[in-house]
Amino acid sequence: MTDTVTPPTPQPEAAPEPPAGPRRSYARLAADESREDYSLRYAPHSFRRWSPGTVAGTALGGIAYLADFAIGASIVFTYGFTSGLASILTAAALIFLTGIPIARACATYGLDMDLITRGAGFGYFGSTLTSLIYASFTFIFFALEGSIMAQAMHQAVGLPVQAGYLVTTLIVIPIVFKGMGALAKVQAWTQPVWLIGLVLPFAVLAFEAPDAWGAFASFGGTEGAGAGFSWIGFGLGTGVALSLIAQIGEQADYLRFMPAKTEANRRRWNLAVLAAGPGWVVIGAAKQLGGAFLAFVALEAVGKTHALEPIAPQIEALRPWLGSVALPAAALFVIVSQIKINVTNAYSGSLSWSNFFSRVTHRHPGRVWYIFLNLAIALTLMEMNMFAALNKLLGFYSNVGIAWIAAVAADLVINKRAGWSPPYIEFKRAYLYAVNPAGFGAMVVASVVSILAFFGLFGTYAEAFSTFIAAGLALVLCPLIAWVTRGRYYLARPNTVNGPGADVADERATHTCAECETAYELPDIADCPVRSGPVCSLCCSLDATCGDACRTDRAGAGRGPVLMPVPTVPAAAPGA
């Protein structure tokens, strides 16, 4: 007889011990939102403590730049007054119209330009390319503004221009390092000096050279273009002026801090968003024409090369009233103007580089580290004397910039109203496809065709109107692709956590991220099947191991959302 041995009953494996602390922690600088300013995520209501007027004033303070003076003078000198005037006004109209929906979306949803682009037809990785486009805008214009400031310091105190480039770069770092709070103070404190410096030269000329405007209106340029209208000159000049279209991104970096719109502040809110968003170009166009006028008046006295440098025309305009004080007064105005804009360029550049590298590397050391990358590239461009190739560089850049902005505007204005795009902006990785062909495809096709035209492949007129080709293709292709695809590539899965229908009261409720164990407001939260709970948008972006499980069949993508419990915690100041 054989004994029967009863096998032991299998015991369930012990569940792994939960981690003692948060699964993710951020570096000190990345965790300090007083400096970080929610650079990669939604700006919560608790952080938007400024009034609509303060936000608008800070945003408009950033357009103090004098590149408008140089750009306007360059356009009019090259193509004559009539074609130049038409170019500047046409570009301003296009920038204003495309800027309206973008500004309203950024202010409404508390998102910067990169996050708006993600949800407005580009997809999570599709907007990575636009982050580079935007970053290039910030360092190109930082270099341009820095060159102007170095020219002023050379004129005023004899500082070598190359040394001036370094000074203009280093002087903005402490301000940009501290974030929105410091930027708001700098813009407010310097505004009176800037306004006086802006108006005074034109007041002097109104008394001292009252006939100059009439002569300016018949100016035929310095390149033999003539005073009459030229379609070629108009097209090329508009292309140069349209290089400023990406400025709406810098305005958006401030507009995302606009407080929620209520019945009480509705009128002030709408006015502030309009003024600080697309409204910048009204002042910008006036500055381009004013800069061209000052350069024209100074042309005989200083010559063409120096007339295109804003410091020299400023000195010549002020000299009849201020005499020997004209030089230091003009230099002070230029330096203040350039600090006001370059703190914005450096700040926006740091945001853009942060967005780019967080998606590529799944790491986020903090926005402030990317200030140095942006400034290093800008300093290199200054040392290469990019100011000498102003028209060609900006004309080329505008083809890509306008294709991007036009595609985003088309999505916000056309696709959302037609129902091909979600009625809100979805920016979180957990709900987005990697690439959406509607916006991204439209931008790529429009950019490639317009750049080929810019280099003369399709003839002289196509070369002159390459930016119009870029804008037209983007505006047509974005809705067309969205219609053909029936909006399929906007949402990888529905968002029932914080999609349409959430009001401001719901949005203010804070929820704890299962990854970093920090409280964030509802719009920054996604449900995560891997973490079995809610995660904040930044932890979601930085996760390199989840395999996008929330968007696969395992998580039920295509069959509805996997909605995890979202525990509400007492409201607290959000951190990182």
Side-chain angles (χ1 to χ4, degrees), residues 424 426 431 493-500 502 522 527 560-564:
Y424 70 106
E426 182 54 75
Y431 303 107
R493 60 175 178 134
N495 178 1
T496 59
V497 175
N498 48 30
L522 181 61
D527 57 294
V562 180
L563 189 58
M564 299 297 169

Side-chain angles (χ1 to χ4, degrees), residues 50-54 56 258-275:
W50 298 276
S51 68
T54 299
M258 193 69 71
K261 182 165 67 172
T262 64
E263 285 301 320
N265 71 3
R266 186 182 190 88
R267 181 173 297 180
R268 287 180 290 114
W269 192 95
N270 286 329
L271 181 61
V273 171
L274 186 67

Side-chain angles (χ1 to χ4, degrees), residues 143-176:
L144 178 56
E145 307 295 349
S147 298
I148 293 170
M149 185 172 169
Q151 292 160 5
M153 291 189 292
H154 176 69
Q155 287 266 57
V157 298
L159 183 71
V161 174
Q162 285 71 24
Y165 294 154
L166 183 60
V167 173
T168 64
T169 302
L170 296 177
I171 198 170
V172 304
I173 293 176
I175 303 168
V176 180

Side-chain angles (χ1 to χ4, degrees), residues 29-39 41 47 520 574-576:
L29 289 176
D32 183 358
E33 291 299 352
S34 66
R35 290 187 174 92
E36 189 65 8
D37 282 349
Y38 297 87
S39 60
R41 59 168 91 240
F47 192 74
Y520 292 98

Side-chain angles (χ1 to χ4, degrees), residues 103-116:
R104 292 185 65 85
C106 292
T108 299
Y109 295 103
L111 305 175
D112 66 13
M113 192 67 205
D114 178 76
L115 301 186
I116 289 289

